[in-house]
Structures are given as structure tokens and as C-alpha cells.
Amino acid sequence: MAASSVKHNKQSKKSVGCPVEFTLEAIGGRWKVLIIHHLLEGTKRFGELTRLLGGISARTLTRQLRELEASGIIDRKVHQQVPPKLEYSLTTIGRKLEPVLLAMHDWAEESLKSSRRSKK
Amino acid sequence: MAASSVKHNKQSKKSVGCPVEFTLEAIGGRWKVLIIHHLLEGTKRFGELTRLLGGISARTLTRQLRELEASGIIDRKVHQQVPPKLEYSLTTIGRKLEPVLLAMHDWAEESLKSSRRSKK
DNA sequence: CGGAATCCCGTTTGATACTG
DNA sequence: CAGTATCAAACGGGATTCCG
């Protein structure tokens, strides 16, 4: 396989063809919906989120927050001081994810209800 | 960790703490929302889905369909005949995912709108 | 305190070949 | 037609260590 051209497209992740997938990618991480949920209740600091999420590593939280930031969902405010202080909050568009989370929440409850009803 | 009686279920690789995550896991695959979208328009066969999705491998499509089936979202009907014929359709609970997809779709459009305003 | 860098592992997906 | 089997790569995420 000499000189096989392996292209590293910047979009090599997943080519998103439809808006629904766009949203799914924005909130699809392991912790993102939880982070959004907590931020819906107000601004949080890095350490607060670490405690609230229970068990997330610093590296992973950093990455999830940066990805949410890149999606325009959260805002990252740096206070230059010692000790360092950072505040994370939802942007306007980020707060608009609430109906999405609610729709998902409702479906989950309905799904659990109907699976309790005899299926087998 | 509270409940240490973790079952080694093949399905649950991630412990789901809240309903929103439950939904996210059900539709969180690479192709699942697209499959659901196409099935919202009617019953499809395996080959039809392969063509509609454009680029999915047989192995992956099989797995995504089986996972959706395990979640109770789709129904798989086998017609014992030659050539073989399989029909996939949404269950009642599967059809109820439509509001979720719509909410996600709406958010994506709003997100794109606001990113046009601020950045580019 | 809030990361960045590095190493590592399990899961997901894809390519390919084969089968009932 | 609708899969299954096998291998390999891509990716996400955790643990640990170090740094401003």
C-alpha cells in the first residue's frame, strides 16, 4: 500500500447531513446533557461541576466543556486572579436546549411506562 | 457509588442516572436518528435503508437496527420466503420520538441562525 | 484552582469476505 | 436479499502526572 493517501479531513469526525444529527452531536457526549442540566440552574465553577457530576475526570470535564463552548452552548468566563476562578454558564442558545431535554425526558418516562406494561 | 450491584448486562455499558440520558442512549448511535427519520415515513426493508442511508455497512446497519429493536423503538417482521424479505417499522413508542426529533431539529436551526449573527 | 500532556482501555464503526 | 464473521482503525473517556 505504498503512498496510500489517507486524507485527514477536518470534518473527518462525522459528516452531518441533517439538523437533527447536528444537535445530537452537540449534546451527544457522555456528560453533556448532565452539564447542561446543572447549568440550567445557574452559573457554576469548574470544581462545582466536578462535584455535581460525581466521578468525572478533570480531563474529560475540560473536553466536554470546550466542546460545548465550541458549539456555542456555554460561556466560559475567566477571572484573572489567584486562586484562578472560572465560571461556566449557558448562552442564550444554550438555554434553548431546555425543550429538547424536556422532550427527551418525557419520552423516557413513556418508554419506561410502556415497557412495564406486559410486553413479553 | 450507591448500588454496587452492577449487572453485567450487554446493553448497559453506561450507567444511566437520569431519563434524559436514557433517551440519549436509545437514539445516540451514529445512524439511529436517521433510521428513525426514514421509518417515520413508512415501513422500510433492509436494502432500502442501506440505500437511503448512503454509506452504512451491512454489519453496522444490522447492529443499529437490533439496538433500536432492543429499545422497543422498532419492529422487525420476517417474511419467510425466497428471496428473504424483512420489514422494519416504528413501534408505538418509537413514533413518539417524533417530538424529540422535532425539538432537536428546531434547536439546530436556531443555533445556525444565531451563529450567523454573531461570528461569521 | 483549573487545567494540559501523556498513556491506556473499551466501545463503535467500517472494510471485506462469506452464507442461508 | 439480508444477514454473519473477522480483523483493524477511530474515537471517547478514565487515571495519572505536571504546570501557571
Side-chain angles (χ1 to χ4, degrees):
Chain A
M1 253 178 124
S4 103
S5 55
V6 178
K7 316 222 167 179
H8 275 91
N9 207 342
K10 283 188 177 177
Q11 293 234 328
S12 65
K13 253 190 102 159
K14 314 171 182 181
S15 49
V16 179
C18 89
V20 178
E21 288 205 291
F22 176 82
T23 302
L24 192 58
E25 224 178 283
I27 67 174
R30 167 78 179 78
W31 302 91
K32 285 176 191 161
V33 294
L34 285 178
I35 293 170
I36 293 164
H37 174 253
H38 288 300
L39 290 184
L40 276 169
E41 292 170 356
T43 296
K44 306 285 177 193
R45 297 184 56 185
F46 189 91
E48 287 184 274
L49 287 172
T50 302
R51 269 170 258 120
L52 287 169
L53 295 173
I56 192 173
S57 64
R59 173 184 169 278
T60 300
L61 179 55
T62 300
R63 289 180 52 171
Q64 302 270 307
L65 288 170
R66 292 293 155 86
E67 287 169 23
L68 288 169
E69 196 188 352
S71 301
I73 292 170
I74 66 171
D75 196 36
R76 180 168 174 268
K77 188 168 186 179
V78 183
H79 300 261
Q80 278 298 340
Q81 61 182 52
V82 178
K85 178 175 178 181
L86 284 91
E87 289 188 326
Y88 294 94
S89 59
L90 290 177
T91 60
T92 303
I93 196 68
R95 275 189 292 279
K96 288 183 181 170
L97 276 169
E98 191 163 16
V100 177
L101 299 198
L102 286 177
M104 292 174 69
H105 180 273
D106 291 347
W107 182 84
E109 305 237 300
E110 284 197 80
S111 176
L112 292 174
K113 259 194 322 193
S114 66
S115 67
R116 268 198 297 276
R117 273 197 287 272
S118 61
K119 163 97 195 283
K120 323 195 162 151
Chain B
M1 276 193 252
S4 57
S5 58
V6 178
K7 298 197 273 188
H8 288 302
N9 199 343
K10 287 180 192 174
Q11 303 282 332
S12 61
K13 17 188 185 201
K14 311 172 182 179
S15 50
V16 180
C18 87
V20 178
E21 291 204 291
F22 176 83
T23 302
L24 193 57
E25 223 178 286
I27 67 174
R30 169 75 181 80
W31 303 91
K32 285 175 192 164
V33 293
L34 285 179
I35 292 169
I36 293 165
H37 173 254
H38 287 300
L39 290 184
L40 277 169
E41 293 170 355
T43 297
K44 305 285 179 198
R45 298 182 56 181
F46 188 92
E48 287 183 273
L49 287 171
T50 302
R51 269 169 259 121
L52 287 168
L53 295 173
I56 191 174
S57 64
R59 175 183 168 282
T60 301
L61 179 54
T62 300
R63 290 190 54 168
Q64 301 271 306
L65 288 169
R66 292 292 153 86
E67 286 169 25
L68 287 169
E69 195 188 352
S71 301
I73 292 171
I74 66 171
D75 198 35
R76 180 168 174 269
K77 280 204 172 65
V78 183
H79 299 261
Q80 280 297 343
Q81 61 183 52
V82 177
K85 181 175 177 179
L86 279 285
E87 287 189 327
Y88 293 94
S89 59
L90 290 176
T91 61
T92 302
I93 196 69
R95 263 176 255 116
K96 287 183 180 170
L97 277 168
E98 190 163 18
V100 177
L101 299 200
L102 285 177
M104 292 174 69
H105 179 271
D106 291 348
W107 182 84
E109 306 237 300
E110 285 196 81
S111 175
L112 294 174
K113 261 194 319 193
S114 66
S115 66
R116 271 198 297 276
R117 272 203 312 266
S118 58
K119 263 247 159 171
K120 302 210 318 200

